[in-house]
Amino acid sequence: IDTIAPNQAVVEGVLLGDLIDPDQLTSDLQPRVQGKAEPGSQVTVEVDGTTRATTTADSQGVWRLRLNGLSDGNHTVVAWATDTAGNQGGTSSTTTFTRDTVSPTSPTLDRVAPDTGARDDDGITSANTLTLEGRAEAGATLFVVVDEQVASTLVVGSSGTWTTQISSLVEGKHIIDVQIRDAAGNQASGGARTVWIDFTAPVAPVFARIQEDTGTSSVDRLTRVAPLFIAGTGEPGALIRLDGLLASGGTGLLASGKVVTDGTWSLQPVN
């Protein structure tokens, strides 16, 4: 005859992996709850005032149960144990946890500096240390991923803006992505962005000819034709800058433009 009730069951909380989640905030669609009770006893688990299921405490008195059908928000859990003789122990104290399965807003990568290309947003630079800036959910952990490797980790401040540096980048193409994880473990990505690192100086451009050279020689760079066009060759994609005497006096920029894909360029000076 056994008329002694088992000890009061204990609800330790929801699990993060195989350990008790310290903040009791989970993104698990089917969170697992763990507690302790008399070894071999049957444990009844009640969530938000409704009995969910029963499980059995193992030889160490540990029990675990996966909870299904929960909505996002706060939930309360209590449990009690019933031994093999049918004696029921006292109900545990209430444990509260929060389920949050909503992904955070995708982070943004708004600026990569310095950008030394032809435009300040073309993703081309001659620097191997870059400053990145953007926006993300305040309090979330942000990861800067370069070529599928985490290069920087930080917590987004209360303003929702973030900045960090990445360094020691080698020459060539790099894929940069920013990803965040909120306190519950939900993740979001800002999408990949391509940056080209180029330390190599371009091939010096060649000043080939003045179009419509009307002098006594086709290469004496004398002409009576206006407007004037000057042509040459260079590295495709490179920016050609033509400086010279200005009509207003002094020297300055007369024209600029890019070398086209066949390696040629043609500019018309402004005066």
Side-chain angles (χ1 to χ4, degrees):
I1 296 174
D2 178 5
T3 60
I4 300 174
N7 292 333
Q8 183 183 41
V10 174
V11 179
E12 296 177 306
V14 294
L15 294 172
L16 177 63
D18 289 326
L19 302 175
I20 301 299
D21 192 331
D23 59 11
Q24 291 299 287
L25 176 61
T26 180
S27 61
D28 196 335
L29 296 176
Q30 298 176 319
R32 293 180 302 153
V33 65
Q34 176 177 295
K36 292 181 179 178
E38 181 178 298
S41 64
Q42 184 181 63
V43 180
T44 303
V45 178
E46 184 179 274
V47 180
D48 302 329
T50 301
T51 299
R52 285 283 178 166
T54 60
T55 187
T56 301
D58 66 18
S59 60
Q60 301 300 314
V62 176
W63 60 267
R64 289 179 176 178
L65 185 67
R66 187 175 295 279
L67 304 176
N68 301 311
L70 297 181
S71 60
D72 277 6
N74 296 328
H75 298 280
T76 59
V77 183
V78 296
W80 58 88
T82 303
D83 64 19
T84 55
N87 301 301
Q88 181 175 309
T91 302
S92 69
S93 58
T94 301
T95 296
T96 301
F97 72 91
T98 302
R99 178 180 182 268
D100 174 9
T101 62
V102 179
S103 296
T105 302
S106 295
T108 65
L109 173 55
D110 299 329
R111 183 169 179 261
V112 178
D115 189 314
T116 60
R119 301 191 320 274
D120 60 6
D121 62 351
D122 61 7
I124 300 174
T125 182
S126 59
N128 71 341
T129 296
L130 302 178
T131 298
L132 311 180
E133 298 175 358
R135 291 166 286 123
E137 182 179 300
T141 301
L142 183 136
F143 305 91
V144 176
V145 180
V146 180
D147 302 329
E148 300 183 348
Q149 299 293 321
V150 176
S152 179
T153 304
L154 60 121
V155 176
V156 181
S158 59
S159 66
T161 61
W162 61 271
T163 182
T164 190
Q165 277 194 336
I166 53 176
S167 59
S168 303
L169 296 172
V170 299
E171 190 168 33
K173 177 183 177 181
H174 298 280
I175 305 298
I176 301 177
D177 188 18
V178 287
Q179 304 170 1
I180 59 170
R181 183 177 64 217
D182 65 16
N186 301 296
Q187 300 184 40
S189 172
R193 181 167 175 174
T194 301
V195 173
W196 290 90
I197 307 293
D198 182 2
F199 306 141
T200 305
V203 177
V206 175
F207 175 42
R209 62 190 176 88
I210 297 176
Q211 295 177 357
E212 298 288 339
D213 188 319
T214 61
T216 55
S217 166
S218 62
V219 293
D220 61 8
R221 299 177 183 175
L222 295 175
T223 185
R224 63 174 182 273
V225 177
L228 177 66
F229 285 92
I230 297 175
T233 58
E235 181 179 304
L239 180 67
I240 301 295
R241 177 187 173 99
L242 183 63
D243 292 323
L245 295 173
L246 300 174
S248 58
T251 60
L253 178 65
L254 299 178
S256 65
K258 279 190 174 183
V259 181
V260 297
T261 55
D262 67 356
T264 62
W265 55 269
S266 177
L267 300 176
Q268 179 184 354
V270 295
N271 55 32

